Amino acid sequence: MDLSAPLAWLVDEASASPEPDRFLSELGRLLVADDLPLAGGALTLAVPHPIIARRTWLWRAETGVVIESLGFAGAVSDRAGHEWLAGLGPVLEQSTGSGTDRATLGWAGTRAFGPDETARLRRVARFAAAPLAALAERAALAALLEAYLGRRSAARVRAGALTRGTGETIRAALFYADLRNFTVLSEATEPALVIATLDAWFERVAGAIHAFGGEVLKFIGDGVLAIFPVSGSPVDACDAALRAVTAARAGMAHLDQTRQAEGLPPLTFGVALHLGEILWGNIGAADRLDFTAIGPAVNLVSRLEGLCRPLGRSVLISGAVAAATSTPLVPLGEHPLRGIATPCAVFTLPDA
């Protein structure tokens, strides 16, 4: 069968497209080269994610540029692709699959599509169904992994880092935070309210971490362990972690105002920062792995956070971080940490 260049590409190569943006831009380029009057295209995939419901890629024929738009759960409109295409010209759309495999492929014309052009684009959509199903499956898997592992860890797992006991040693600023008196609060509070309280706490802290380029590795009970990997100067990672601390404290202050208005007690917490090397990789049983960080630096930041209560401080910072930042800090002397051979130089923020 003699196929046009776009159809031949869909049959032979499209399923190997690594990302939806590459799929859309290459298909659009081939269709324009096949004399179809396209002004732009849009590809929307449904994704299983706690916040994001849809991911849409928008391609403009004139420039070849692809941008991404996120559709959030509960949004008023879920037709970002259609609305964007309608601003370029007449629109033709087709959907395939259902649920998390649902994909919508649409095109805007530089003019109204004729009957023959419409038939060709509909044929393209039929040939695109199989590669789009593969793209949708990969996008769904990526969304789930990112929701449960974090973006960097998910990327490592997707790349095949699945062998128990393997990983890489990286340098990072470590962030560990923990709620105070949460055991007492949970015993005196109904479970639904306990979950809502934890969600509110994690949202403020994780939101601050992600806003400054960090990644939450895990939630440990009511604690949070996160990293800010050193990709250039350690100063950048430490300063980002300190900014995340400031943002988290501001978010919690706002939350406490809301809780006070509802007659609820404030949520006190401690945060510790440290800079060191960690082993980032797979740990666990043969059939149940955890992609996480271990090493002396992780132990130190956890022990350091445990000093917040005895020292009466909400933020404690190790000497390693203090040496790598220009942020004004208050020295608190050297303190022994349980299980750590050498006493740790401890600092804090002036208002902590």
Side-chain angles (χ1 to χ4, degrees), residues 204 249-262 264-269:
R204 269 67 177 184
R249 295 175 69 204
M252 289 302 293
H254 183 269
L255 176 62
D256 282 342
Q257 291 178 356
T258 302
R259 288 176 60 84
Q260 185 178 12
E262 297 172 351
L264 298 172
L267 297 175
T268 57
F269 61 95

Side-chain angles (χ1 to χ4, degrees), residues 298-317:
V298 178
N299 297 335
L300 191 149
V301 76
S302 173
R303 301 297 189 222
L304 182 59
E305 191 280 326
L307 275 184
C308 287
R309 189 197 299 269
L311 294 183
R313 303 285 181 166
S314 60
V315 180
L316 294 181
I317 299 159

Side-chain angles (χ1 to χ4, degrees), residues 4-329:
S4 65
L7 297 185
W9 180 79
L10 287 170
V11 171
D12 297 330
E13 302 178 49
S15 293
S17 293
E19 298 293 342
D21 57 342
R22 296 273 296 276
F23 174 92
L24 179 63
S25 63
E26 181 62 12
L27 180 56
R29 184 188 68 80
L30 290 170
L31 291 174
V32 169
D34 203 36
D35 294 327
L36 279 162
L38 299 184
L43 172 61
T44 298
L45 301 179
V47 293
H49 191 276
I51 298 175
I52 302 167
R54 292 159 302 280
R55 296 177 67 187
T56 298
W57 291 266
L58 309 169
W59 167 76
R60 187 183 286 272
E62 183 180 2
T63 62
V65 172
V66 178
I67 61 174
E68 184 179 354
S69 171
L70 299 180
F72 294 95
V76 175
S77 173
D78 64 352
R79 305 196 68 197
H82 178 88
E83 293 165 0
W84 185 81
L85 290 173
L88 297 179
V91 177
L92 177 65
E93 286 183 315
Q94 278 197 315
S95 296
T96 63
S98 61
T100 56
D101 290 331
R102 181 176 177 82
T104 300
L105 184 62
W107 306 102
T110 56
R111 54 170 172 75
F113 295 116
D116 176 67
E117 293 162 342
T118 299
R120 289 166 62 193
L121 287 174
R122 294 198 183 283
R123 193 177 186 207
V124 165
R126 288 196 297 273
F127 274 72
L132 281 179
L135 277 176
E137 184 177 357
R138 291 200 293 269
L141 176 60
L144 285 172
L145 287 174
E146 288 182 13
Y148 282 91
L149 298 179
R151 177 164 292 186
R152 290 183 182 89
S153 297
R156 291 291 311 283
V157 172
R158 289 176 63 199
L162 303 173
T163 305
R164 181 173 60 164
T166 61
E168 65 174 324
T169 299
I170 65 170
R171 199 172 186 213
L174 285 80
F175 177 117
Y176 186 82
D178 191 49
L179 277 179
R180 296 278 172 263
N181 304 315
F182 190 73
T183 301
V184 175
L185 177 65
S186 61
E187 289 179 351
T189 309
E190 61 181 72
L193 186 55
V194 171
I195 292 174
T197 301
L198 278 177
D199 285 347
W201 152 246
F202 287 141
E203 185 172 339
R204 269 67 177 184
V205 177
I209 291 165
H210 293 153
F212 292 100
E215 176 159 341
V216 172
L217 289 186
K218 60 173 55 212
F219 300 116
I220 311 166
D222 58 354
V224 181
L225 174 63
I227 58 172
F228 293 78
V230 175
S231 56
S233 167
V235 175
D236 296 334
C238 291
D239 286 348
L242 284 163
R243 287 192 290 270
V245 169
T246 300
R249 295 175 69 204
M252 289 302 293
H254 183 269
L255 176 62
D256 282 342
Q257 291 178 356
T258 302
R259 288 176 60 84
Q260 185 178 12
E262 297 172 351
L264 298 172
L267 297 175
T268 57
F269 61 95
V271 180
L273 298 181
H274 179 51
L275 174 67
E277 290 189 343
I278 60 173
L279 177 62
W280 187 35
N282 290 289
I283 302 164
D287 61 349
R288 175 61 174 89
L289 297 175
D290 189 13
F291 200 92
T292 187
I294 61 169
V298 178
N299 297 335
L300 191 149
V301 76
S302 173
R303 301 297 189 222
L304 182 59
E305 191 280 326
L307 275 184
C308 287
R309 189 197 299 269
L311 294 183
R313 303 285 181 166
S314 60
V315 180
L316 294 181
I317 299 159
S318 74
V321 173
T325 181
S326 59
T327 302
L329 301 175

